[in-house]
Amino acid sequence: MKKLNNLFLITILAMAAMVSCEDELDQSPENSLTTDNFFNTVADFRLGLDGMYAQLLTDDDVAGIGDTYYGSVSLSGLPDILSDNVILVQSGRQSNRNNFEFNYTALNNIGPFNEAYEIINLANIIIERIDNLQAGADRDDILGQALAMRAFAHFDMARLYAQIPTQDPGANGTLGVPYIKFEDGDTGDPFATPARDTVGENYDDIIADLLEARDLIAEDNGSGRFNRNAVNAFLSRVYLYMGQWQNSIDAGNLVTSSLASIDSYPAVFTDDSTDGVIMLADQDPALDNVTVGVLWSQTASGNVISEYALDFEFFSAISDDDVRKGVLSIIGTNNDEMHNAINKVGIDRNGVVDVKLFRTAEVFLNRAEAQFELNNEAAALATLNQLRAVRYSANAPDGEVGAALETAIQFERRVELAFESHRFFDIKRRGESVQRSNFGDLSDGTGTPASVSTLPSGDFRFQIPFPIAEINNNPNFMQNPGY
């Protein structure tokens, strides 16, 4: 695909900018990037990994791409804006209103398509040149991280632009996204025009990359990098999307990290604790300073100017004994109006917070759902109660069975993972409808309700449109139906 493969050059230029030295015209720095001297040492490959991970948060101006994977709306906001978690605040800037009202088109370019394929191309560059390193633990770990990130970016593109395997009985046979792999010869021709793979093929490739990565990757690479725990957490998520319940449980059981305690939980979302965090996209204020939370609100002159507020019905359903309620929302006052302002993404830090990619709590919720689907209600309730024991200060729910237990699992998932890139995809993968409440945008539920309250199950808009540039550049690249 012409545009996808041209990103090879774009990402090389981005990495060159990251490692260049100022005003040293008469020197050739050891870490300067040329085709002759790069990707020959462990240090080179580690720098390449840094560039790959940096694409999650760095605004790649040198590439002329603009947005970031988790900046602006992208994957920081779309899964909640497109769901029932939030309501558009009328006194805000009306930003992303078209997305909230499901009026997106191929001209909007609302997803992080270019950013994802930058990551994929960087991963493929590393994989292509990995044989420049001698066999050993460093080589294995670097290759494992590149494979895991290649799977990560493809997975996000597949769940955003294509159907999810459990969404519909025939989903696996529908069109997915191009899965670009060096090993398949996909990266050699900058003028290639590949067609979209199927959803089933996408998920098979994702699993294959992750299983290979798990065998290679190090136990501990720090919270900002893939390691074995993160790969297993990711596998538990992907298998859940595939409806492979036992595989999801088995992968989750290999995760060794603990749940965040009730005392440390609030500090996780002010970046003062990593308790229960398996992997994150970490901010480097000197380099990134990406305001991932600014799409929800801004502060000015003592006011909280909310763009979106927590839906009143959702807010009211959360128990006051639940530590997550105050983390999710605070009262934000803008002149004479009060809103349930979204607090989880650093409202007091202008939204400059680390992005939590995998947390132990999600693994527990994946396991509880899979256990329920396998008709092991006792195990599902026990797993769910382990999470609830460290979220409720008193009066934690308990003892549900049947449909009530399924509802409880999904409610706890909604509360726990709100504003962490999950809600829309959870609705989508379960084949459900987006059903918003009739409450308004003010803190007591009055005000203006959502103008579009429902996205019916099976609606074509559950798959967002590909950017029109991709369609124009490649005659083999089919647009999603309805656009």
Side-chain angles (χ1 to χ4, degrees), residues 101-181:
E101 296 177 347
F102 309 112
N103 285 329
Y104 32 81
T105 71
L107 298 176
N108 297 147
N109 195 20
I110 69 170
F113 187 88
N114 287 333
E115 294 73 33
Y117 280 98
E118 286 183 70
I119 290 171
I120 291 163
N121 274 290
L122 276 171
N124 276 315
I125 292 168
I126 292 167
I127 294 165
E128 177 184 5
R129 304 187 184 187
I130 197 67
D131 285 339
N132 289 351
L133 294 182
Q134 64 182 11
D138 283 327
R139 180 190 184 282
D140 287 351
D141 178 52
I142 290 165
L143 178 56
Q145 290 190 60
L147 288 165
M149 278 298 285
R150 184 170 73 179
F152 180 84
H154 278 115
F155 172 77
D156 276 343
M157 294 303 92
R159 65 175 177 163
L160 189 58
Y161 290 98
Q163 290 192 36
I164 293 171
T166 56
Q167 180 180 352
D168 181 88
N172 279 330
T174 62
L175 289 179
V177 298
Y179 205 99
I180 306 300
K181 296 174 66 175

Side-chain angles (χ1 to χ4, degrees), residues 154-421:
H154 278 115
F155 172 77
D156 276 343
M157 294 303 92
R159 65 175 177 163
L160 189 58
Y161 290 98
Q163 290 192 36
I164 293 171
T166 56
Q167 180 180 352
D168 181 88
N172 279 330
T174 62
L175 289 179
V177 298
Y179 205 99
I180 306 300
K181 296 174 66 175
F182 156 72
E183 306 94 306
D184 291 345
D186 296 337
T187 61
D189 180 4
F191 300 104
T193 56
R196 295 167 60 183
D197 299 314
T198 67
V199 167
E201 290 168 337
N202 282 169
Y203 279 79
D204 286 345
D205 281 333
I206 291 164
I207 292 296
D209 273 353
L210 289 177
L211 291 178
E212 184 178 357
R214 184 170 67 181
D215 289 339
L216 296 167
I217 206 162
E219 290 282 352
D220 185 8
N221 286 315
S223 59
R225 301 289 184 267
F226 263 106
N227 56 28
R228 195 159 300 159
N229 260 346
V231 171
N232 281 317
F234 191 14
L235 278 165
S236 81
R237 180 189 297 179
V238 178
Y239 282 131
L240 192 78
Y241 276 57
M242 298 173 74
Q244 295 189 16
W245 314 122
Q246 190 59 53
N247 283 338
S248 179
I249 293 168
D250 292 344
N253 286 342
L254 294 174
V255 174
T256 59
S257 58
S258 301
L259 289 165
S261 70
I262 193 169
D263 294 325
S264 65
Y265 181 84
V268 170
F269 298 98
T270 58
D271 292 348
D272 295 312
S273 172
T274 56
D275 197 8
V277 177
I278 298 171
M279 181 180 171
L280 49 76
D282 55 339
Q283 295 263 12
D284 182 344
L287 297 176
D288 302 321
N289 220 17
V290 177
T291 53
V292 294
V294 76
L295 67 99
W296 303 122
S297 61
Q298 309 89 45
T299 56
S301 302
N303 290 330
V304 176
I305 305 168
S306 293
E307 304 286 343
Y308 290 85
L310 196 68
D311 173 72
F312 179 75
E313 183 175 77
F314 179 32
F315 172 81
S316 300
I318 305 171
S319 169
D320 291 338
D321 292 330
D322 190 335
V323 68
R324 296 169 297 190
K325 191 166 191 173
V327 170
L328 279 175
S329 179
I330 60 173
I331 295 296
T333 302
N334 183 16
N335 295 322
D336 295 328
E337 289 188 353
M338 293 190 296
H339 307 99
N340 294 312
I342 297 161
N343 185 45
K344 196 175 183 180
V345 284
I347 199 169
D348 60 344
R349 300 177 59 179
N350 202 28
V352 182
V353 290
D354 298 335
V355 178
K356 285 69 185 177
L357 303 179
F358 297 101
R359 292 194 297 113
T360 312
E362 182 201 343
V363 176
F364 273 67
L365 289 160
N366 294 344
R367 183 187 301 133
E369 182 174 339
Q371 289 166 331
F372 179 86
E373 294 290 348
L374 291 173
N375 298 314
N376 192 346
E377 291 192 14
L381 180 61
T383 300
L384 187 64
N385 283 342
Q386 285 181 272
L387 174 65
R388 295 197 288 201
V390 290
R391 295 295 180 264
Y392 292 84
S393 59
N395 303 319
D398 191 6
E400 300 96 337
V401 296
L405 176 57
E406 182 178 28
T407 298
I409 292 169
Q410 295 307 317
F411 177 75
E412 296 296 341
R413 186 178 183 92
R414 183 183 181 188
V415 176
E416 181 72 29
L417 301 179
F419 309 107
E420 296 182 55
S421 303

Side-chain angles (χ1 to χ4, degrees), residues 15 38-39 43-53 122 126:
M15 290 174 62
F38 205 67
F39 289 116
D44 290 345
F45 279 90
R46 295 288 181 193
L47 186 59
L49 289 176
D50 289 346
M52 180 182 67
Y53 286 111
L122 276 171
I126 292 167

